[in-house]
Amino acid sequence: MEGTQDVLTREKLDAALAVLPDWRYRLGGLVTVYKAPTAAAALELIAAVGRFAEEQNHHPDLDWRYNRVFIRYTSHDAGGKVTERDTAAATAASEAAARAGAIAQPGLFRTVEVGIDTADPAEIAEVWRVALGYKKGPGGDLVDPYGRGPSIWFQETATPNSSRLHVDVHWSLAESGPVLEKTAATGAVMNHDHAPDWVVVTDAQGNRLCLCTEAGHRPEASAGP
């Protein structure tokens, strides 16, 4: 079953995550990080994930950093949403990680987006798309076709903020507490009006960023706060 037919509802996604403790939901995908005992063991894990991907014809975004492997599964043919194929792949990856002696560190997986305040997204989107070599994604976002750079999304508003660009840093809700505490300790202004979905952080010079979680973020949504 492929395409949109096997997209998971939020209820089914939550049930799947309950038996996938290594994984977190993040902006239309399942993400985790595995720390292997050695770089060689990390490569063994990558090879195992690759073999399963070829067998199932369902491939993850994967990044190798010495003895850590960053993995993200999403179903591009379903519009960048989580499907049963993603949960099956995540299950197989967890089993391969256990065989390789790797431990899950999902809190290390951060996702960064750049938000731009604008009254007219269509007027400026093409400039950003061409300059970055990006493609249009779900909901009008601009995304790196190779999954390397941060996505760009346009926050349509009749009253753009004086600081029009801001960074959204997505953490899993389970790991977000210490990040919020450490950020507040820097002296930044913390606006919790939309917590736990996101917290707006403003530095001493008026620059903004948002610390975001998956709370309240439905699987079919794609835009940031």
Side-chain angles (χ1 to χ4, degrees):
M1 185 184 300
E2 295 187 352
T4 59
Q5 296 180 2
D6 60 339
V7 171
L8 298 184
T9 63
R10 188 55 183 258
E11 182 179 16
K12 289 183 177 180
L13 176 59
D14 289 342
L17 287 171
V19 294
L20 288 170
D22 294 355
W23 297 81
R24 302 288 185 266
Y25 173 70
R26 179 75 51 73
L27 293 174
L30 298 178
V31 303
T32 195
V33 179
Y34 284 110
K35 180 183 179 182
T38 64
L43 283 172
E44 292 176 6
L45 172 57
I46 291 170
V49 170
R51 286 192 295 271
F52 183 80
E54 284 295 293
E55 292 170 2
Q56 300 298 317
N57 192 29
H58 190 61
H59 301 80
D61 293 327
L62 187 149
D63 191 8
W64 172 38
R65 300 291 172 174
Y66 184 54
N67 65 338
R68 287 183 172 85
V69 181
F70 293 69
I71 309 174
R72 180 178 186 269
Y73 282 107
T74 188
S75 293
H76 299 288
D77 63 348
K81 299 172 185 175
V82 177
T83 67
E84 294 171 1
R85 286 164 286 150
D86 297 308
T87 56
T91 299
S94 294
E95 294 170 352
R99 292 193 296 271
I103 60 173
Q105 297 181 321
L108 295 182
F109 201 113
R110 297 181 298 280
T111 304
V112 177
E113 297 183 300
V114 176
I116 303 176
D117 279 12
T118 174
D120 186 0
E123 184 178 23
I124 62 174
E126 190 67 1
V127 174
W128 290 86
R129 187 192 67 78
V130 172
L132 289 166
Y134 278 17
K135 66 179 182 179
K136 291 183 179 179
D141 292 358
L142 302 180
V143 297
D144 185 340
Y146 303 105
R148 298 284 296 168
S151 61
I152 307 291
W153 71 279
F154 301 96
Q155 181 164 276
E156 187 168 356
T157 173
T159 56
N161 192 282
S162 57
S163 176
R164 288 191 175 222
L165 273 68
H166 72 275
V167 174
D168 289 342
V169 184
H170 292 263
W171 294 83
S172 298
L173 180 61
E175 290 87 22
S176 64
V179 179
L180 290 168
E181 291 177 6
K182 291 178 181 179
T183 305
T186 67
V189 176
M190 310 287 285
N191 182 331
H192 291 264
D193 287 353
H194 300 282
D197 295 19
W198 71 87
V199 173
V200 180
V201 180
T202 306
D203 68 18
Q205 297 181 6
N207 304 299
R208 298 175 301 144
L209 64 88
C210 293
L211 294 176
C212 311
T213 75
E214 74 278 14
H217 185 89
R218 300 196 59 80
E220 61 271 18
S222 62

